[in-house]
Amino acid sequence: MSERYVKTCILVLAVGLGVGAGAKWLSQSSALSNQWRALPFGPLPGASSAAATPDAVELPTIASLELLIRDKLEVRAELLITEALKPCPTSHIEKLCRQYASDDTKRSLQLWSVLVQELAARDSEKALAIALNDPTAPVPEAEISRHFRQLVASNPDAAIAQMRALERGHLRDIIGKAIVEPLYQESPTVALQFAIAERIADPLAGLLEKYPESIPLLAAALRDNQQFASLQQVFAREWGTFDADAALDWAQTLKSGSSGQITSDLLTTISYKDPLRAFDQMAETSFAYRNLSLLEEMIPRMMQRDFEATLSRLTALSVSQNRWYAFTLMAELLRDDPLKAAAVAGALEDDGPLRRHFEEKVNPPVPPTTESLAGTRPSGVQEDQITTLLFTLAEETRFDDGAKFIGSLPGSPLNLYGIEQFARQWAGSAPQKAAEWASTLEVEGYRKSALAGLIDIWGYADAAAAAAFASELPDDATGQHIKARIAGLWAQQKPLEALQWAAKESERTLLSAANIAAMNEPVAVAGQFSQLFSYADDLSSDAAVTVASQVAENWAKLDPTASLTWVQNLPQGRARDEAESFTLRVWAALDSHAASEAVTQMPVDRRDPAATGLVQAIAATDPEAAWEWSMAIEDEEWRKRALDTLIWNWQKSDPERALERIVESSLPAKIKANLTERLK
């Protein structure tokens, strides 16, 4: 069998390595891979077959098994499942496995695993089929390995075909290792060639210790043959589990770039048993102490084993970077051991800078407190300390202490962010109290930052209460800023309530609320417009113009005809004209023909704003029509706005045609010259 098996694997290897004889095997293996499922594998010899189930015994279901193990410890649950499955025939266990495989929820992974393991113990071929058909199935490794070792002994062709039919993954690697071991017994190098060709992960697991006589042969092959370079690290790791010193000596002879990493891995392995010896061996390696992560792993173990010996070795370090790194680690480890820390400081007496560094690290500065930073003007490190302290006080809900601390700080823009965040945190639990504190801050910048921070949180939680507080603020720059901010927040939630409150405040506050409200509920704001701007002077204000334009623009997106009707019923003035222009601009973007018809039906003396909006919408898509509409605009300012948009678009698409239109027009010479200049 062994001769036949070796020949078979060498033939498969030839396929993977591209040897000329591989073509014939490729066709044969393809046929085998299509036939592997039909091979006659029954239960393993010696496997116990379940006795016939008495009629009185009710076979368990998935639901009953899940109920059985609910709230049970893992070990207890496994025993209960196993006991419940004992009287079941193999066919029923297979049925449960397939039911669970089709259940996407798989509520109990432990039940899933025990079912597959129980099936594998009785019929490994059926368990393998489950694992093949469901990538999420737990793999019964022992049973599958045993099955394939037996299959390799009787039919190696079939075993290899089954492995090659699988996609790369854990199951394929298990089968691959079961194939590799018999081959390894005959020829370790051929086994490795096969493992490389088939991309089997970790093919040497357990083999070196089991067959130590193969190590010299493989050590030479992996050192001298570049074909095996990919397995050098795997070989060293496996060897190092039982003879790390020998593996380390071998790693030092490697010429490949992986030598340093292999050496580090082996030194780490040695350090678990004897960290001081690992440190000494590291000193003899080619990369010496350059590996800082290796030092970080070794030093704690060294100190635990022998502090004096560790200190002696570290003080002898000659590489400056690693010397400082090593004593930084020691300082962190000795913060609770002043006697040993003093011993280290004494050993560094001749190295003043490193000793001071060690003492700073072993005795880190006391965290700043409200007392230590009170009255401090931030600069450098203190800026971060003040902000960090404010964050800490807020997280610990020590708001009274934080308020007192902020009151002690001299004015500085570097503190604004920390104060704003502190106020936000306080507003989350006690907004009224936070607001009362913030309004009393003497530094104007601190007051504005604190109020702005808390009003955002309070405004989302209870906009009406926040607005009531804001109304009592002085009518200075900070007060107006806060009122406008709460107006916008409130308008996002309840637009009409926000507008009614804002109308009693300043124009800036009303504008903030109306802008947001008009975007969210333009029809509702339109209904309130006459109440918000009830006087002629109000209708000419910037706020009235802005609100009317916002309402018209957003309403036109929903119903342009209704928007235009509302606009045309507004009193004559800037607000109506601008709103009309916005309405037609939106309408023309949606349906230029309908918008043009609407403008045509307007009285000639009323159509200039609407025609301007129409031109601005179609200038890019229909410049000729836009030109005709522009020439029909009588008001000089509205016509200028229309032509500005048209010429800007026409200059990019067809400047020659634009110039022709300008030259042949009846526009005043000054306007012609200005438009011509813009085309250049």
Side-chain angles (χ1 to χ4, degrees):
M1 185 283 294
S2 61
E3 182 179 356
R4 175 190 172 201
Y5 178 68
V6 172
K7 288 181 178 179
T8 298
C9 290
I10 292 176
L11 190 55
V12 176
L13 177 62
V15 177
L17 298 178
V19 180
K24 181 178 179 181
W25 171 253
L26 186 60
S27 62
Q28 295 174 350
S29 64
S30 176
L32 282 170
S33 65
N34 293 329
Q35 299 170 6
W36 73 272
R37 295 181 185 274
L39 292 173
F41 299 124
L44 292 172
S48 62
S49 58
T53 307
D55 294 338
V57 177
E58 183 179 353
L59 297 178
T61 64
I62 294 294
S64 67
L65 289 172
E66 289 182 337
L67 183 61
L68 180 67
I69 65 173
R70 183 177 298 171
D71 300 327
K72 302 295 191 301
L73 294 176
E74 185 173 333
V75 175
R76 175 64 175 159
E78 184 170 342
L79 290 174
L80 289 172
I81 299 170
T82 305
E83 189 67 24
L85 294 176
K86 275 185 180 180
C88 298
T90 301
S91 59
H92 184 69
I93 296 177
E94 181 184 7
K95 176 184 176 182
L96 293 178
C97 284
R98 295 193 180 281
Q99 286 178 354
Y100 218 72
S102 64
D103 181 4
D104 293 335
T105 60
K106 291 185 177 61
R107 293 175 292 276
S108 171
L109 294 179
Q110 185 183 16
L111 174 56
W112 185 209
S113 177
V114 175
L115 284 172
V116 175
Q117 296 289 348
E118 182 68 22
L119 180 61
R122 300 186 183 196
D123 190 330
S124 59
E125 180 62 22
K126 289 181 178 179
L128 176 60
I130 296 290
L132 290 173
N133 292 329
D134 185 353
T136 67
V139 178
E141 297 187 17
E143 288 77 7
I144 287 179
S145 296
R146 179 165 55 88
H147 173 84
F148 272 91
R149 282 196 296 270
Q150 293 183 357
L151 179 58
V152 165
S154 61
N155 193 340
D157 294 353
I160 293 172
Q162 288 196 33
M163 181 200 72
R164 298 188 67 173
L166 297 173
E167 294 183 0
R168 292 183 62 188
H170 184 51
L171 180 59
R172 189 180 190 277
D173 288 334
I174 292 173
I175 297 173
K177 292 173 186 177
I179 296 173
V180 164
E181 183 170 354
L183 180 58
Y184 189 89
Q185 298 176 46
E186 301 296 332
S187 175
T189 54
V190 171
L192 291 191
Q193 289 174 331
F194 178 79
I196 292 172
E198 297 297 335
R199 298 183 178 181
I200 299 170
D202 203 12
L204 291 172
L207 295 181
L208 296 184
E209 191 169 11
K210 190 173 182 180
Y211 307 105
E213 66 278 3
S214 66
I215 293 176
L217 174 65
L218 287 183
L222 269 68
R223 180 181 57 242
D224 302 329
N225 192 335
Q226 193 61 31
Q227 178 187 0
F228 296 126
S230 62
L231 289 179
Q232 287 177 343
Q233 197 162 352
V234 174
F235 173 75
R237 184 179 67 245
E238 190 67 25
W239 192 3
T241 59
F242 60 91
D243 194 350
D245 290 330
L248 182 63
D249 292 339
W250 170 79
Q252 297 301 297
T253 67
L254 296 177
K255 298 179 181 179
S256 65
S258 61
S259 174
Q261 185 59 53
I262 292 173
T263 300
S264 294
D265 292 344
L266 290 168
L267 287 170
T268 299
T269 300
I270 295 172
S271 72
Y272 283 108
K273 294 182 178 179
D274 192 342
L276 294 170
R277 183 163 63 86
F279 184 88
D280 294 338
Q281 288 174 310
M282 183 176 66
E284 300 172 1
T285 61
S286 57
F287 63 93
Y289 301 99
R290 289 177 295 174
N291 194 327
L292 299 181
S293 61
L294 190 56
L295 272 177
E296 187 173 359
E297 287 193 39
M298 284 188 179
I299 289 176
R301 299 182 193 130
M302 292 167 63
M303 292 177 63
Q304 189 175 15
R305 178 66 61 87
D306 189 331
F307 171 74
E308 295 295 340
T310 301
L311 180 58
S312 174
R313 283 167 169 78
L314 295 183
T315 52
L317 282 172
S318 58
V319 180
S320 175
Q321 178 186 6
N322 296 327
R323 183 178 168 89
W324 279 66
Y325 188 74
F327 281 99
T328 299
L329 289 174
M330 287 193 77
E332 294 174 356
L333 295 169
L334 295 177
R335 284 176 180 169
D336 296 326
D337 195 334
L339 293 178
K340 289 182 178 178
V344 174
L348 295 175
E349 187 175 356
D350 295 334
D351 191 340
L354 181 54
R355 176 174 179 169
R356 287 191 295 273
H357 171 76
F358 173 82
E359 290 174 340
E360 289 174 0
K361 293 297 181 182
V362 82
N363 297 304
V366 178
T369 63
T370 54
E371 291 77 14
S372 64
L373 291 179
T376 301
R377 187 176 297 278
S379 62
V381 176
Q382 288 179 340
E383 174 188 351
D384 293 334
Q385 289 180 341
I386 291 174
T387 301
T388 301
L389 179 56
L390 288 174
F391 276 39
T392 301
L393 292 169
E395 289 174 359
E396 296 175 354
T397 65
R398 295 169 54 194
F399 297 114
D400 290 339
D401 291 343
K404 182 178 179 181
F405 172 60
I406 292 172
S408 76
L409 296 175
S412 170
L414 298 178
N415 292 332
L416 297 180
Y417 176 72
I419 292 172
E420 180 177 347
Q421 296 305 309
F422 175 83
R424 287 174 66 89
Q425 292 286 336
W426 197 353
S429 58
Q432 185 71 43
K433 188 174 181 180
E436 292 171 357
W437 158 76
S439 62
T440 62
L441 288 173
E442 295 181 359
V443 179
E444 179 65 18
Y446 290 1
R447 186 166 70 96
K448 183 177 181 180
S449 293
L451 288 170
L454 69 89
I455 213 70
D456 285 346
I457 303 300
W458 197 4
Y460 280 114
D462 188 349
F469 164 79
S471 295
E472 302 300 322
L473 291 174
D475 195 27
D476 55 11
T478 297
Q480 291 184 18
H481 173 76
I482 298 303
K483 291 174 185 178
R485 200 155 177 168
I486 189 60
L489 291 171
W490 198 358
Q492 293 177 20
Q493 305 167 43
K494 297 183 178 180
L496 297 183
E497 291 183 15
L499 285 172
Q500 292 170 1
W501 170 75
K504 302 173 185 177
E505 302 295 337
S506 65
E507 181 175 307
R508 177 183 175 184
T509 304
L510 176 59
L511 190 58
S512 177
N515 276 336
I516 301 297
M519 287 189 288
N520 293 333
E521 294 191 26
V523 179
V525 177
Q528 295 284 318
F529 189 82
S530 60
Q531 299 177 28
L532 297 174
F533 305 100
S534 55
Y535 301 103
D537 291 343
D538 293 340
L539 286 171
S540 63
S541 67
D542 291 340
V545 172
T546 301
V547 173
S549 300
Q550 287 278 10
V551 169
E553 180 181 13
N554 288 283
W555 196 353
K557 294 175 184 177
L558 304 174
D559 187 343
T561 303
S563 176
L564 183 60
T565 300
W566 173 75
V567 168
Q568 291 178 336
N569 286 323
L570 292 174
Q572 183 177 356
R574 285 179 58 217
R576 187 185 71 182
D577 291 346
E578 293 291 346
E580 195 170 69
S581 181
F582 270 92
T583 298
L584 267 297
R585 184 190 306 175
V586 173
W587 194 354
L590 299 172
D591 185 347
S592 60
H593 178 73
S596 298
E597 287 294 324
V599 177
T600 302
Q601 294 174 11
M602 293 180 183
V604 175
D605 61 344
R606 284 277 309 276
R607 68 172 55 159
D608 284 355
T612 300
L614 176 64
V615 169
Q616 291 173 329
I618 66 174
T621 57
D622 192 354
E624 291 290 346
W627 176 265
E628 295 297 337
W629 276 110
S630 297
M631 293 301 97
I633 298 173
E634 297 181 356
D635 183 86
E636 183 175 338
E637 180 60 31
W638 285 110
R639 184 177 60 203
K640 179 179 182 303
R641 288 166 63 171
L643 286 173
D644 283 347
T645 302
L646 173 58
I647 296 303
W648 186 84
N649 283 278
W650 221 348
Q651 188 271 339
K652 294 186 292 183
S653 61
D654 191 354
E656 292 80 9
R657 179 57 180 160
L659 182 60
E660 291 176 6
R661 281 295 209 172
I662 293 171
V663 171
E664 67 186 23
S665 73
S666 59
L667 291 169
K670 185 176 180 181
I671 296 178
K672 283 185 176 183
N674 180 269
L675 295 176
T676 302
E677 183 66 25
R678 292 180 58 186
L679 288 174
K680 295 180 181 179

